[in-house]
Amino acid sequence: MALHEKAFRTDERVKLLYVTALGQTQLMFLRGQNEFMSRRGLQLHSIASPDAALDELHRRDGVQIHPVAVSRRGISPADLLSLYRIYRVLRRVRPTNVHLSTPKAAFLGAIAATPARVPVRLFLMRGLVSPEAAGVG
């Protein structure tokens, strides 16, 4: 069976897992999308750093949350622990698709998704820091 056929079999729910550094990113950018996809039978999951926005995402959209601390600053030894924890979530959930976004979380999520054998990996750039930017940060 081809990969795309497995992803859309009617006897299996498609599992979509989002990976971002902050729950706020998903809360803001996925407004309406989660409801749309849930109504069409997709099972939604989220990996992001634990915060109030991640809890609100669960409450508002019914997304199953998997808190994993992801630093937004430079490379550090703590990133290895984040990478391992993301990998563990991916192995446990076994998503059909993983949607990677925000630079650090996407990098770690993409690395973890390969040995976790996630069939479909999608990257969408969000959260790129600009020197002229002001606001949440």
Side-chain angles (χ1 to χ4, degrees), residues 16-32:
L16 174 59
L17 190 144
Y18 289 99
V19 181
T20 59
L22 301 174
Q24 185 69 28
T25 304
Q26 295 180 40
L27 191 64
M28 290 177 9
F29 285 112
L30 300 177
R31 180 180 296 278

Side-chain angles (χ1 to χ4, degrees), residues 6-17:
K6 181 179 184 229
F8 296 102
R9 285 177 41 193
T10 57
D11 60 337
E12 266 184 56
R13 270 182 95 178
V14 173
K15 292 181 186 177
L16 174 59
L17 190 144

Side-chain angles (χ1 to χ4, degrees), residues 5-129:
E5 291 170 335
K6 181 179 184 229
F8 296 102
R9 285 177 41 193
T10 57
D11 60 337
E12 266 184 56
R13 270 182 95 178
V14 173
K15 292 181 186 177
L16 174 59
L17 190 144
Y18 289 99
V19 181
T20 59
L22 301 174
Q24 185 69 28
T25 304
Q26 295 180 40
L27 191 64
M28 290 177 9
F29 285 112
L30 300 177
R31 180 180 296 278
Q33 289 184 36
N34 286 335
E35 181 185 351
F36 177 85
M37 290 186 279
S38 282
R39 280 188 284 150
R40 281 153 183 79
L42 278 75
Q43 187 180 93
L44 304 175
H45 294 262
S46 167
I47 292 176
S49 294
D51 62 7
L54 190 60
D55 294 333
E56 176 64 16
L57 182 71
H58 172 70
R59 189 194 63 71
R60 185 188 77 190
D61 297 346
V63 174
Q64 296 179 43
I65 59 173
H66 309 277
V68 174
V70 177
S71 166
R72 296 175 63 210
R73 311 252 182 240
I75 303 294
S76 74
D79 294 334
L80 292 175
L81 183 57
S82 298
L83 176 64
Y84 175 72
R85 288 178 174 163
I86 292 169
Y87 168 78
R88 291 287 308 251
V89 170
L90 293 174
R91 291 296 291 168
R92 185 174 63 248
V93 172
R94 298 214 176 268
T96 313
N97 305 352
V98 65
H99 183 160
L100 308 157
S101 200
T102 70
K104 175 75 85 69
F107 177 69
L108 296 174
I111 291 171
T114 301
R117 297 184 178 173
V118 177
V120 179
R121 294 166 228 144
L122 171 70
F123 173 71
L124 176 63
M125 176 52 76
R126 291 187 180 110
L128 196 59
V129 178

